[in-house]
Amino acid sequence: MMLKKLPFALATAALLSACSTDPSASELIDANGAIVRSETGEAGKAVTINSHEAKALLEQHKELVVLDVRTPGEHQAGHVADALLLDYYSPGFEQRLKELDTTKPYLVYCAVGSRSRDVVRRMQQLGFEQVYEAAEGFEALKQAGVQVE
Protein backbone atom coordinates (compact mmCIF):
# COMPACT_ATOMS: atom_id res chain seq x y z
CA MET A 1 0.00 0.00 0.00
CA MET A 2 2.83 2.38 0.89
CA LEU A 3 4.48 1.86 -2.52
CA LYS A 4 1.29 2.93 -4.31
CA LYS A 5 1.32 6.29 -2.47
CA LEU A 6 5.02 6.95 -3.09
CA PRO A 7 4.68 8.20 -6.72
CA PHE A 8 1.92 10.59 -5.65
CA ALA A 9 3.99 11.88 -2.73
CA LEU A 10 7.05 12.37 -4.94
CA ALA A 11 5.03 14.17 -7.62
CA THR A 12 3.46 16.44 -5.00
CA ALA A 13 6.84 17.25 -3.47
CA ALA A 14 8.27 18.06 -6.91
CA LEU A 15 5.39 20.39 -7.72
CA LEU A 16 5.62 22.20 -4.40
CA SER A 17 9.36 22.69 -4.68
CA ALA A 18 8.99 24.08 -8.21
CA CYS A 19 6.54 26.73 -7.06
CA SER A 20 7.99 29.96 -5.80
CA THR A 21 6.76 33.48 -5.36
CA ASP A 22 8.18 36.34 -7.36
CA PRO A 23 10.70 38.42 -5.49
CA SER A 24 9.63 41.87 -4.40
CA ALA A 25 10.63 44.79 -6.58
CA SER A 26 13.42 45.63 -4.14
CA GLU A 27 14.98 42.23 -4.86
CA LEU A 28 14.90 43.05 -8.57
CA ILE A 29 17.19 46.06 -8.23
CA ASP A 30 20.76 46.11 -7.00
CA ALA A 31 22.36 48.86 -4.89
CA ASN A 32 23.24 50.80 -8.04
CA GLY A 33 19.66 50.70 -9.30
CA ALA A 34 20.31 48.12 -12.01
CA ILE A 35 17.79 45.42 -12.74
CA VAL A 36 19.29 42.15 -11.59
CA ARG A 37 16.66 39.44 -12.08
CA SER A 38 15.01 38.35 -15.27
CA GLU A 39 12.86 35.54 -16.60
CA THR A 40 16.06 33.66 -17.38
CA GLY A 41 17.91 34.76 -14.25
CA GLU A 42 20.22 36.98 -16.29
CA ALA A 43 20.51 40.75 -16.23
CA GLY A 44 19.46 42.46 -19.43
CA LYS A 45 16.43 40.33 -20.20
CA ALA A 46 12.77 41.22 -19.84
CA VAL A 47 11.04 40.75 -16.52
CA THR A 48 7.28 40.35 -16.24
CA ILE A 49 5.96 41.95 -13.08
CA ASN A 50 2.58 42.52 -11.50
CA SER A 51 1.09 45.93 -10.73
CA HIS A 52 2.24 46.05 -7.11
CA GLU A 53 5.81 45.24 -8.14
CA ALA A 54 5.57 47.94 -10.82
CA LYS A 55 4.46 50.47 -8.21
CA ALA A 56 7.40 49.60 -5.95
CA LEU A 57 9.78 49.69 -8.90
CA LEU A 58 8.57 53.16 -9.95
CA GLU A 59 9.05 54.42 -6.40
CA GLN A 60 12.58 53.02 -6.11
CA HIS A 61 13.97 53.44 -9.61
CA LYS A 62 13.59 57.10 -10.60
CA GLU A 63 15.54 56.67 -13.86
CA LEU A 64 12.92 54.24 -15.18
CA VAL A 65 11.37 55.30 -18.51
CA VAL A 66 7.69 54.39 -18.63
CA LEU A 67 6.36 53.43 -22.08
CA ASP A 68 2.62 53.50 -22.72
CA VAL A 69 2.08 51.46 -25.89
CA ARG A 70 -1.66 52.12 -26.06
CA THR A 71 -3.41 54.40 -28.55
CA PRO A 72 -3.48 58.20 -28.18
CA GLY A 73 -7.14 58.01 -27.15
CA GLU A 74 -6.40 55.49 -24.40
CA HIS A 75 -3.44 57.59 -23.26
CA GLN A 76 -5.51 60.76 -23.18
CA ALA A 77 -8.17 59.08 -21.02
CA GLY A 78 -5.51 58.40 -18.37
CA HIS A 79 -1.93 57.20 -18.16
CA VAL A 80 0.90 56.52 -15.74
CA ALA A 81 2.51 59.80 -14.67
CA ASP A 82 5.25 60.94 -17.06
CA ALA A 83 4.67 58.00 -19.41
CA LEU A 84 5.97 58.31 -22.94
CA LEU A 85 3.30 57.43 -25.50
CA LEU A 86 4.52 55.03 -28.16
CA ASP A 87 1.39 53.94 -30.06
CA TYR A 88 1.74 50.26 -30.92
CA TYR A 89 -0.55 50.69 -33.93
CA SER A 90 1.08 53.78 -35.44
CA PRO A 91 2.95 53.38 -38.76
CA GLY A 92 6.14 54.83 -37.25
CA PHE A 93 6.09 52.62 -34.16
CA GLU A 94 9.04 50.40 -35.09
CA GLN A 95 11.23 53.36 -36.04
CA ARG A 96 10.41 55.23 -32.82
CA LEU A 97 11.19 52.11 -30.81
CA LYS A 98 14.59 51.81 -32.52
CA GLU A 99 15.35 55.45 -31.63
CA LEU A 100 15.07 54.82 -27.88
CA ASP A 101 18.22 54.50 -25.77
CA THR A 102 18.78 50.76 -25.30
CA THR A 103 20.86 51.34 -22.15
CA LYS A 104 18.05 52.97 -20.14
CA PRO A 105 15.66 50.93 -18.00
CA TYR A 106 12.05 50.72 -19.24
CA LEU A 107 8.67 49.78 -17.82
CA VAL A 108 6.22 48.92 -20.62
CA TYR A 109 2.45 48.76 -20.20
CA CYS A 110 -0.72 48.69 -22.28
CA ALA A 111 -4.40 48.12 -21.47
CA VAL A 112 -4.32 44.42 -20.55
CA GLY A 113 -0.89 43.02 -21.40
CA SER A 114 -1.02 41.78 -24.98
CA ARG A 115 0.63 44.75 -26.72
CA SER A 116 3.16 45.25 -23.94
CA ARG A 117 4.21 41.59 -24.21
CA ASP A 118 4.82 42.01 -27.97
CA VAL A 119 6.73 45.26 -27.46
CA VAL A 120 8.93 43.79 -24.74
CA ARG A 121 9.83 40.86 -26.99
CA ARG A 122 10.75 43.30 -29.75
CA MET A 123 12.82 45.37 -27.34
CA GLN A 124 14.73 42.23 -26.37
CA GLN A 125 15.43 41.54 -30.05
CA LEU A 126 16.72 45.10 -30.43
CA GLY A 127 19.14 44.66 -27.52
CA PHE A 128 17.47 46.72 -24.79
CA GLU A 129 19.30 45.99 -21.56
CA GLN A 130 16.68 46.57 -18.85
CA VAL A 131 12.99 46.05 -19.60
CA TYR A 132 10.03 45.35 -17.34
CA GLU A 133 6.58 44.40 -18.56
CA ALA A 134 3.65 45.46 -16.39
CA ALA A 135 1.59 42.48 -17.47
CA GLU A 136 -1.70 43.39 -15.83
CA GLY A 137 -2.30 46.62 -17.74
CA PHE A 138 -3.23 50.20 -16.96
CA GLU A 139 -6.33 49.67 -14.82
CA ALA A 140 -4.47 47.26 -12.55
CA LEU A 141 -1.60 49.74 -12.23
CA LYS A 142 -4.08 52.45 -11.27
CA GLN A 143 -5.77 50.16 -8.72
CA ALA A 144 -2.37 49.30 -7.25
CA GLY A 145 -1.83 52.99 -6.51
CA VAL A 146 0.58 53.90 -9.30
CA GLN A 147 0.49 57.66 -9.87
CA VAL A 148 -1.61 58.49 -12.95
CA GLU A 149 -2.44 61.64 -14.91
Side-chain angles (χ1 to χ4, degrees):
M1 185 67 143
M2 194 64 132
L3 289 177
K4 288 182 181 179
K5 292 182 181 180
L6 185 60
F8 176 75
L10 290 174
T12 302
L15 285 173
L16 290 175
S17 68
C19 295
S20 64
T21 58
D22 282 340
S24 68
S26 62
E27 293 172 309
L28 301 173
I29 304 170
D30 70 10
N32 296 319
I35 297 166
V36 295
R37 183 194 64 87
S38 72
E39 296 297 319
T40 61
E42 301 170 15
K45 301 294 182 190
V47 179
T48 301
I49 59 176
N50 67 39
S51 298
H52 295 283
E53 290 172 323
K55 180 181 187 290
L57 187 67
L58 286 164
E59 291 169 352
Q60 294 174 10
H61 201 52
K62 301 299 181 192
E63 297 298 315
L64 196 65
V65 178
V66 181
L67 290 182
D68 180 350
V69 296
R70 300 175 303 153
T71 65
E74 289 172 304
H75 183 82
Q76 218 168 14
H79 56 272
V80 171
D82 300 319
L84 173 64
L85 175 63
L86 190 61
D87 181 3
Y88 179 80
Y89 297 116
S90 74
F93 171 79
E94 181 76 17
Q95 184 56 41
R96 286 196 59 210
L97 189 62
K98 288 178 180 178
E99 292 170 359
L100 296 174
D101 185 345
T102 60
T103 65
K104 289 186 178 182
Y106 292 89
L107 173 67
V108 183
Y109 76 93
C110 64
V112 294
S114 181
R115 289 173 281 184
S116 62
R117 184 175 40 254
D118 289 345
V119 171
V120 166
R121 284 184 192 142
R122 184 64 184 128
M123 291 174 84
Q124 284 183 282
Q125 292 169 348
L126 292 170
F128 282 78
E129 296 174 8
Q130 298 181 357
V131 183
Y132 280 100
E133 179 201 359
E136 298 171 324
F138 177 69
E139 287 301 319
L141 289 168
K142 191 165 71 169
Q143 289 176 1
V146 171
Q147 185 178 355
V148 298
E149 299 176 336

